[in-house]
Amino acid sequence: WYQRRVREAVVSTQSTGSFNTLQHYYITNLIEDMNFSKKFKSSVAPLFSQCGKLVANANGSKVLVRDVSTLQLLQMWVCYDTVREIAWSPDSAYLATVSGSKIQLWSMSDSVWMSCISESEGGVEGVMWSPDSRHLLVLHQYSTFITIWALEFATQMFIKNPKGSLF
């Protein structure tokens, strides 16, 4: 109801160039009724998990995971360096963070578990999870090659000179 009224007020304002008292009343009440959360600092864009129940954000080298409905802090991890990218696995069980040439994997079910992938040849451009959440694709800087990590077996495969844009 409020959204419709605000839209009507904005459209009316665009056509007439001014607010009337009723339009001002609707917008004022809409803003007063909104329930804003407190601000959270973030150095990368916050990212919702695939299940929609969690949100992760990074502030410098800290990674914070919160419950979406309550904004309660569920996990906090410290990475080796400033986080440039975060990526949820499709099953929302793992979170990958990219900082420099290191990729750290975090488990939502075990707050102590962490795995680190160090890519020595060139920097990391981006990461992408496979649909089964058991493989991680790592695109290297300048798209020179892709490393596919099989997480269950800690093995890797390479695709040299990939064509096109994956990330």
Side-chain angles (χ1 to χ4, degrees):
W1 180 81
Y2 279 125
Q3 290 176 341
R4 189 177 81 239
R5 292 292 182 200
V6 169
R7 232 180 285 124
E8 290 171 3
V10 170
V11 168
S12 176
T13 302
Q14 289 172 344
S15 62
T16 63
S18 64
F19 281 109
N20 67 31
T21 307
L22 185 60
Q23 293 167 336
H24 185 269
Y25 171 78
Y26 284 131
I27 291 173
T28 304
N29 282 344
L30 173 67
I31 292 170
E32 288 173 359
D33 290 344
M34 287 182 174
N35 186 13
F36 292 102
S37 66
K38 64 181 183 177
K39 293 190 285 185
F40 297 107
K41 291 184 179 181
S42 189
S43 55
V44 297
L47 187 64
F48 286 95
S49 64
Q50 300 293 332
C51 68
K53 296 178 182 177
L54 307 169
V55 63
N57 74 303
N59 185 15
S61 62
K62 290 181 183 173
V63 177
L64 306 145
V65 177
R66 297 181 186 278
D67 181 273
V68 169
S69 59
T70 64
L71 294 179
Q72 177 184 1
L73 185 63
L74 301 176
Q75 298 282 4
M76 184 180 89
W77 301 296
V78 179
C79 297
Y80 294 121
D81 201 356
T82 301
V83 176
R84 288 190 353 252
E85 181 182 349
I86 51 180
W88 282 102
S89 63
D91 63 2
S92 302
Y94 299 99
L95 185 70
T97 59
V98 177
S99 28
S101 62
K102 293 191 186 309
I103 300 156
Q104 288 175 268
L105 305 175
W106 310 92
S107 171
M108 287 305 302
S109 61
D110 184 355
S111 62
V112 180
W113 184 89
M114 187 272 296
S115 181
C116 182
I117 298 172
S118 293
E119 294 290 352
S120 57
E121 292 190 33
V124 175
E125 190 71 30
V127 295
M128 180 185 287
W129 287 93
S130 66
D132 68 356
S133 300
R134 300 300 171 248
H135 296 81
L136 189 69
L137 280 72
V138 179
L139 179 65
H140 293 266
Q141 202 167 24
Y142 311 117
S143 299
T144 52
F145 61 97
I146 294 173
T147 306
I148 302 171
W149 287 90
L151 302 178
E152 289 180 299
F153 308 109
T155 58
Q156 59 186 351
M157 297 174 283
F158 298 99
I159 300 174
K160 293 185 179 184
N161 302 317
K163 306 289 187 222
S165 175
L166 296 174
F167 298 92

